[in-house]
Amino acid sequence: MGKQIISESALDRIEKEHAEWLEEYRKALAKVPKRLERFSTVSDLEVNQLYTPLDTQRRDFFEQIGFPGKYPYTRGVQSTMYRGRHWTMRMFAGMGNADDTNKRFHYLINHGETGLSTAFDFPTLMGYDSASPLARGECGKCGVAIDTLDDMGRLFANINLEEVTTSMTINPPASVLWAMYIANAERQGFSRKKLGGTIQNDCLKEFIAQKTLMLPPEASLRLVTDTVEFGTKEVPRWNTISISGYHIREAGATAVQELAFTIYDGITYVEEAIKRGLKVDDFAARLSFFWNSHIDFFEEIAKMRASRRMWARIMKERFGAKNPKSMLMRFHTQTAGCSLTAQEPYNNVVRTTTEALAAVLGGTQSLHTNSLDEVYMIPSEQAALIALRTQQIIAEETGVTNVIDPLGGSYFVEALTDKMEQEAMAYIRKLDELGGMVAAIERDYPQMEIADAAFHFQKQVEAGDKTVIGVNKYASDRPELEFVLKIDDQIEREQIERTERFKEKRDKVGFQKAMDELVRRCEGPPCWNNNVMPALIEAVRAGATEQECCDLYRNVFGTYTDPGSF
Amino acid sequence: MDIVQRIVSGDVRTIARLLRDIDDELPSARSVLQGLYPHTGKAHIVGFTGSPGVGKSSLVDQIATFYRKESKTVGILAVDPTSPFTGGAILGDRIRMQRHFLDPGVFIRSLATRGQFGGLSKSTNDMVNVLDAAGKDLVLVETVGVGQDEVEIANSAHTTVLVMIPGMGDDIQAIKAGVMEIGNIFVVNKADREGSRKTVRELMNLVELGVRRRNGDDWEPQIIETEAVKGRGIDKLCQTIEDHKAYLKATGSQRWRETVEKRTRIQLMGALRDRVLKAVLEKIEQRGDSIDNMVAKIVDRQSDPYTVVQQIVESVLT
Amino acid sequence: MANARNLRILVAKPGLDGHDRGARIVARAFRDAGFEVIYTGCHQTPEQIVSTAIQEDVDLIGLSILSGAHRYSFPRVLELLRENNAEDISVIGGGIFPLEDIPVLKEAGIKELFEPGAKLSDIIEWVGKNIIPRREA
Ligand SMILES: Nc1nc2c(ncn2[C@@H]2O[C@H](COP(=O)(O)OP(=O)(O)OP(=O)(O)O)[C@@H](O)[C@H]2O)c(=O)[nH]1
Ligand SMILES: [Mg+2]
């Protein structure tokens, strides 16, 4: 290894002195009671007391670390990073009806937010209109209720859709909502070629973790691939999948599991698109990722750095990508909802700040910071503002953005980055052995791994091996918060009526024709001529509601229930 | 109305409660079972067995759907394992049967093995009788699916369906000894997976061997490919269940009588064994003695198992 | 040899949210405590939940919800239990509840509410103390 950073003679000396130091450390520690039996990350990965060049000595600087914007991108996807532009401050927002959410969008933009992010309510996420009996009590509660093209129009009223990029957190019905977004943008005179944004559209992590289940895996993958294909040809600035570890982590996964399962989901999407006949360098640059930033500071930074290196290597070595853009792991980050506590909710600001800082030091491209009241429900205006201000303070006051990848070269961070990669690669080999992600999901493999980790963590918290302040240590009761958002139950009725009126107005013949074409395409073999997107755009223009499109999917493709083993 | 009448008339709450009492071996349940017995003997009982995750619950769900379209009523008993360490259990078969939850024509009950081996709980046969008496046209029993020696189901059901999936070649070899003989119908589920035809061919060979070994029974076991999640092959499977039933009940044939007698005999012997053992243990206790004492004596070589048993039998049965 | 009756508990998630982390953890803990748990997964309507509870003859229904729809689904489950003469089946809830909803839900008949941070051992202890397996029919 010619490119070793430290000479052999220096290493010898370090080794010797390290051994001496270790002896001293052990002796000294024997006199004071050790604080913990075992020191480990929140994912229960054991860490040493000290890291030295010995832990990174075998590294080849160029192969493992290198420079920002250069393969393998450990240090960042751009050469300029935050010296050029800060990450996009993208606050997840959505509540009540389209008008309420539009108001919140404008509020956030006026306070310096730089990108939009839409949260839909559960009926919308599951492909049901507000009138569905399954939607009772849920309309507008955890996000905005969108049934029709008309709702979509009001949601983005007075926003320049060629300037602002929009992220939509929507999965099984992603194609439908995207069709509405495109149809609405074009109706307002914007060009689809210039639209920028992201649909989450990551069906695999739904099977693994979030359980927004609508269609069986094969059909879900087919629809995802349709959107990738359509985006590649028609909406070139759009990120057609946001491959998400966030929800996998929230379901209780360890950092390594989050990393491995998410990257494997990415592998699966790439394979599907290639099967469709797309060339890897034509579409891979539009795949984006989404990480959770949990409370264990260094573990998160190491995870994000490892993720860039892994994806670059996989794209290059497994898929033969040539274009450097195809190798870039660009990602959004959200601080960990599951780390927040209902007890002493103001402490959540501190947690979120720490997690946001990790995301920034990990080199994120955009960031959502949770509001302190998010543990109760979707954020109030006041709490959302504190969360946004948290990002602005990190960006503009703390100075952490002055230097690119400031933790690069830290013995600990580099060793942990390596460890993350090694352990995640072991999972990836295991998933290959199982025959890929769909086969693994059907066997409940990733689900069970996560459930085991979640149960293990819960046991650790109860035994006091892991501390949650205000919960299992310095415990206190839950106080009244001065601001908590309330969603009026009235919204449900109004929304049902609005959609009813919308349906009455549409031209029955044109509507039926559009739906027939959509069925034809769904039933046909997957290919460009049967791509659902053009037909969906016609269907929503002709007045199809979200549920009508999703019911059509359910009829053609069938539905899916989680294996639910223990 | 008394309990028997309420059950015969199909009252869900009463049925559900009685099943629990049976499972918990409450003495009161026994007299209800006595009263119910004259009302039994009408349902066709179909058992489903096979390794974990092969799709038993999904098939049961589809079969129930099929029979509901024909306006037949369905009772379902789904057995899952009890944890040997804690005595608790998570019963999850129902997840696959959600669309029947609101259908009064389908009754679903999950039960735990509670330490019983062989794929069923001790209470399963009695529970089948309750659902039979309650007027279910069809009772479907799903075993735990440990996959190795679940022959018990063949003594409970009129028709036994053995479920497999493609690529189980090795498993088939491993289980053929005991289990292959019990299947009246073999299902290769997940036929959407690679290797389905191959598994069918392997099965055909084995079934032929089995048929030759099984004398007196001229039903030729059927092999059916299904895709339970999409409902493919279910019509054929249900038709085959009906064929098997017709075969057993063919006029002029003694098969139905023989099947029912065999089933009744095994259940009678089982019940007798349980009851006698229980009575014997009670007697021993009444005498102020205990099994623990006897074990201690045997271990200390003050006595031996043969003498102890001899003494018990003599003292209890005379 | 009359057995002590096993507790039977239904763990169900009403509503459309799929966050089953809590429900799964609690189901496991109940199993490990020696209870028989019927698990029906996500997206259950109150009607499905009550029908299951009755067919399975459970002593307790544990509802887990994070979507904020508890104000609809919890009272509806209780109402359906009453309509089916099954109000002897107790109902508890797990999830996050706005403070002002807690007395309303308890008033409606929810026996106890467990929020994030509740210990599994506390939940099990509560069940052990408050839920007695049904006596014979
Ligand atoms: N691809 C495919 N998957 C299926 C099919 N039938 C069932 N499955 C899936 O296989 C998994 C297990 O199905 P179950 O019906 O629960 O299997 P089971 O035999 O009842 O499982 P246990 O009760 O746990 O032993 C589920 O994820 C089903 O969706 C099929 O025909 N094709
Ligand atoms: Mg099953």
Side-chain angles (χ1 to χ4, degrees), chain A residues 55-353:
Chain A
D55 297 288
T56 54
Q57 56 176 307
R58 297 281 164 240
R59 307 169 58 81
D60 176 330
F61 177 82
F62 297 99
E63 249 176 47
Q64 297 286 101
I65 305 175
F67 290 91
K70 289 268 184 312
Y71 188 84
Y73 305 101
T74 313
R75 312 198 69 176
V77 290
Q78 304 123 350
S79 55
T80 52
M81 287 306 287
Y82 308 136
R83 285 221 160 190
R85 199 172 66 79
H86 288 130
W87 60 92
T88 305
M89 298 182 191
R90 198 187 285 288
M91 303 297 286
F92 194 37
M95 73 283 216
N97 60 33
D99 307 304
D100 301 328
T101 303
N102 180 263
K103 220 190 277 163
R104 177 63 69 86
F105 282 165
H106 283 286
Y107 174 84
L108 289 166
I109 291 172
N110 291 340
H111 284 81
E113 174 177 74
T114 48
L116 297 177
S117 172
T118 317
F120 297 100
D121 69 357
F122 278 110
T124 308
L125 291 172
M126 288 290 290
Y128 297 112
D129 290 343
S130 307
S132 162
L134 292 168
R136 286 296 57 73
E138 311 246 21
C139 182
K141 282 274 156 54
C142 284
V144 57
I146 299 293
D147 297 340
T148 66
L149 180 58
D150 181 50
D151 290 334
M152 190 61 95
R154 287 181 300 114
L155 180 62
F156 292 108
N158 303 316
I159 292 170
N160 185 334
L161 299 180
E162 287 179 7
E163 265 173 20
V164 177
T165 60
T166 303
S167 158
M168 290 192 283
T169 297
I170 187 83
N171 291 285
S175 51
V176 181
L177 272 294
W178 194 32
M180 285 183 186
Y181 188 87
I182 295 168
N184 170 60
E186 291 188 333
R187 198 168 64 177
Q188 307 205 347
F190 302 112
S191 154
R192 63 171 77 168
K193 301 275 179 213
K194 290 191 188 152
L195 296 180
T198 307
I199 39 177
Q200 195 164 78
N201 202 21
D202 173 8
C203 64
L204 289 170
K205 66 95 175 43
E206 297 297 338
F207 296 105
I208 296 171
Q210 194 172 232
K211 315 287 168 79
T212 312
L213 303 178
M214 192 165 103
L215 308 175
E218 298 80 16
S220 308
L221 277 175
R222 180 241 154 116
L223 292 178
V224 170
T225 311
D226 278 8
T227 58
V228 173
E229 186 182 37
F230 185 78
T232 306
K233 297 186 196 228
E234 295 281 317
V235 200
R237 287 183 55 210
W238 201 273
N239 298 313
T240 40
I241 322 178
S242 168
I243 307 161
S244 306
Y246 184 81
H247 320 83
I248 292 177
R249 194 66 178 283
E250 289 289 301
T254 65
V256 167
Q257 287 169 348
E258 180 194 1
L259 185 58
F261 296 159
T262 306
I263 287 192
Y264 207 96
D265 288 346
I267 291 172
T268 311
Y269 295 127
V270 172
E271 282 171 352
E272 290 294 314
I274 290 173
K275 264 194 241 158
R276 180 67 63 90
L278 298 177
K279 291 208 189 60
V280 72
D281 283 323
D282 287 345
F283 68 86
R286 296 323 303 174
L287 301 177
S288 62
F289 285 81
F290 175 16
W291 296 124
N292 192 308
S293 189
H294 212 298
I295 194 70
D296 197 296
F297 190 68
F298 290 108
E299 183 169 57
E300 293 311 297
I301 295 167
K303 176 187 80 188
M304 292 174 202
R305 296 176 86 248
S307 77
R308 275 191 296 267
R309 189 158 79 203
M310 285 175 72
W311 187 245
R313 286 181 173 158
I314 285 166
M315 291 311 289
K316 189 172 177 185
E317 289 161 20
R318 188 166 175 145
F319 293 111
K322 299 268 179 322
N323 183 350
K325 287 218 163 89
S326 309
M327 303 174 202
L328 297 186
M329 144 102 35
R330 295 169 302 123
F331 61 86
H332 172 70
T333 306
Q334 178 170 340
T335 55
C338 63
S339 73
L340 305 186
T341 65
Q343 297 84 349
E344 302 190 11
Y346 290 97
N347 297 346
N348 293 333
V349 177
V350 183
R351 294 190 177 96
T352 297
T353 306

Side-chain angles (χ1 to χ4, degrees), chain B residues 193-209:
Chain B
R193 294 251 179 99
E194 242 175 67
S196 182
R197 298 301 314 169
K198 184 162 168 278
T199 305
V200 169
R201 277 195 304 276
E202 284 170 354
L203 266 172
M204 279 180 172
N205 295 336
L206 285 168
V207 164
E208 269 169 36
L209 281 177

Side-chain angles (χ1 to χ4, degrees), chain B residues 8 10 15 20 28 51 83 111 154 209 236 313 315:
Chain B
V8 172
I15 296 171
R20 172 94 167 273
S28 61
S51 301
S83 156
L111 38 152
L209 281 177
K236 190 156 174 236
V313 170
S315 70

Side-chain angles (χ1 to χ4, degrees), chain B residues 152-163:
Chain B
E152 287 291 311
I153 187 66
N155 302 327
S156 288
H158 299 132
T159 302
T160 301
V161 180
L162 190 57
V163 188

Side-chain angles (χ1 to χ4, degrees), chain A residues 563, chain B residues 52-58 93 96 142 189-190 192 227-229:
Chain B
V54 292
K56 298 179 293 295
S57 304
S58 310
D93 290 318
R96 315 240 145 262
E142 178 186 341
N189 187 38
K190 309 199 186 183
D192 49 315
E227 194 186 340
V229 278

Side-chain angles (χ1 to χ4, degrees), chain C:
Chain C
M1 277 207 307
N3 292 341
R5 300 209 87 167
N6 274 17
L7 262 188
R8 285 172 68 87
I9 303 178
L10 170 63
V11 174
K13 273 192 68 57
L16 292 174
D17 87 280
H19 302 96
D20 58 358
R21 174 178 181 166
R24 274 176 167 251
I25 287 181
V26 168
R28 276 190 189 210
F30 281 161
R31 175 194 61 194
D32 292 350
F35 307 143
E36 283 180 3
V37 182
I38 291 91
Y39 183 74
T40 49
C42 308
H43 312 320
Q44 298 286 298
T45 62
E47 288 77 7
Q48 289 178 315
I49 290 168
V50 169
S51 159
T52 297
I54 290 174
Q55 291 188 3
E56 297 288 352
D57 191 32
V58 297
D59 304 293
L60 175 67
I61 303 174
L63 298 173
S64 161
I65 196 166
L66 289 170
S67 74
H70 53 265
R71 276 197 298 198
Y72 165 74
S73 53
F74 282 26
R76 180 76 184 128
V77 165
L78 292 163
E79 183 182 315
L80 286 162
L81 283 173
R82 273 194 299 279
E83 279 173 20
N84 288 280
N85 290 323
E87 58 267 57
D88 54 309
I89 299 175
S90 303
V91 182
I92 58 176
I96 305 157
F97 310 99
L99 279 180
E100 76 261 23
D101 288 0
I102 293 174
V104 179
L105 293 173
K106 289 219 172 144
E107 189 90 350
I110 301 290
K111 286 265 158 58
E112 192 57 272
L113 292 166
F114 294 96
E115 296 203 88
K119 277 190 179 179
L120 293 173
S121 48
D122 292 343
I123 300 175
I124 287 160
E125 196 187 305
W126 185 92
V127 171
K129 266 203 203 121
N130 294 279
I131 306 298
I132 312 153
R134 178 177 64 69
R135 289 220 299 277
E136 66 192 68

